[in-house]
Amino acid sequence: TRPPTKPFSGIERFINGKWTEIEPKDLSKITQCDAQAWLALQNLLCDPQIRQKYDLSAGGWRSERLLSLRRHLHELLLDQLPPLKTGILRVLDELVLGVLPE
């Protein structure tokens, strides 16, 4: 909760275990939690052993959910996390084309 003496004046993000007010110039920066979530997802999708166990057949419910993430992969995010360009984007392109490697 917020102290009664300090009025809410903007956007807050949960950083280092507490809510922190974000300056307008920092709105485009991703937080450490967001970065960890994206990198964990990339590791799960790009690991061949996990891909064998996780059915990503084209047109399935799982692939539909993963493809819905594509709209969140914008240039600002990809600039801050360059490994996503070759990892998650490649997997999503393979899902669209229906050519997933075993």
Side-chain angles (χ1 to χ4, degrees):
T1 59
R2 169 171 281 300
T5 58
K6 186 177 177 186
F8 180 71
S9 62
I11 295 177
E12 292 183 337
R13 289 188 180 160
F14 196 71
I15 301 172
N16 295 328
K18 60 183 171 133
W19 288 99
T20 307
E21 227 172 275
I22 301 297
E23 297 290 325
K25 64 180 172 116
D26 295 333
L27 285 176
S28 62
K29 293 181 183 175
I30 63 169
T31 64
Q32 182 180 6
C33 291
D34 292 338
Q36 288 176 348
W38 281 111
L39 292 173
L41 181 62
Q42 174 176 315
N43 288 336
L44 288 172
L45 291 176
C46 294
D47 185 354
Q49 292 176 339
I50 293 175
R51 287 176 78 157
Q52 288 176 352
K53 295 178 183 177
Y54 194 72
D55 180 29
L56 292 176
S57 57
W61 184 85
R62 291 176 179 171
S63 63
E64 300 272 330
R65 297 290 56 110
L66 289 172
L67 288 174
S68 70
L69 292 175
R70 191 175 189 91
R71 64 187 168 116
H72 299 288
L73 292 167
H74 47 78
E75 285 301 317
L76 289 172
L77 175 67
L78 295 174
D79 287 343
Q80 293 176 58
L81 292 172
L84 296 182
K85 289 181 183 178
T86 57
I88 289 181
L89 281 181
R90 181 181 51 81
V91 171
L92 294 178
D93 288 341
E94 290 170 355
L95 276 175
V96 168
L97 296 173
V99 288
L100 286 172
E102 294 298 322

